[in-house]
Amino acid sequence: MAASSPLVLLECLVAGTSHRPELPAQEKKLKVGQTLRLEREADSKYDDWAVKVHSGAADDKNSYWLGYLPETRNETVARLLDAGYPLTARLAHKAWEEDWLHLEIEVLLPRE
């Protein structure tokens, strides 16, 4: 593996996709391998370590919110984001399971 390849910190499903009503219309734009943005939601009243997953960069008008990192797997990623680490994610797999969009992602830490 090349030194420039990012380190995969976590592989998981995106939680909450069934609560994102715009996803069925947006799903066709999601491409396996694309970079996803992680955004810390420190003021969440439901989860102290909430991390949102977005389809694109913060300055991308077409970016949309996909869901969250799973509550049981997000604390380390949230702590690293809080400490300023430039974590991103990559879409590893997508599939419809009835009316649920199954999105598997990899959380990535860039290497120097």
Side-chain angles (χ1 to χ4, degrees):
M1 181 183 294
S4 61
S5 296
L7 177 67
V8 177
L9 295 179
L10 175 66
E11 295 174 336
C12 64
L13 292 173
V14 176
T17 58
S18 59
H19 300 290
R20 309 299 312 138
E22 70 282 5
L23 268 187
Q26 298 286 350
E27 178 269 331
K28 288 179 179 50
K29 298 178 192 173
L30 289 172
K31 304 296 180 208
V32 170
Q34 84 177 61
T35 299
L36 304 172
R37 178 171 53 93
L38 301 175
E39 176 190 355
R40 193 63 172 90
E41 188 181 43
D43 60 351
S44 170
K45 57 186 170 205
Y46 303 106
D47 180 359
D48 291 340
W49 304 110
V51 177
K52 286 182 169 181
V53 180
H54 293 270
S55 67
D59 60 356
D60 179 354
K61 303 189 298 286
N62 298 315
S63 177
Y64 46 94
W65 173 25
L66 300 171
Y68 288 94
L69 292 186
E71 188 173 2
T72 57
R73 316 242 353 243
N74 62 3
E75 183 176 349
T76 299
V77 172
R79 288 179 183 272
L80 288 167
L81 288 169
D82 289 349
Y85 284 86
L87 304 183
T88 61
R90 175 171 53 213
L91 183 60
H93 179 77
K94 70 172 185 171
W96 284 100
E97 293 184 12
E98 296 183 16
D99 59 352
W100 175 56
L101 182 57
H102 177 106
L103 297 174
E104 290 179 31
I105 65 168
E106 298 170 328
V107 175
L108 306 172
L109 173 64
R111 297 194 226 201
E112 300 269 331

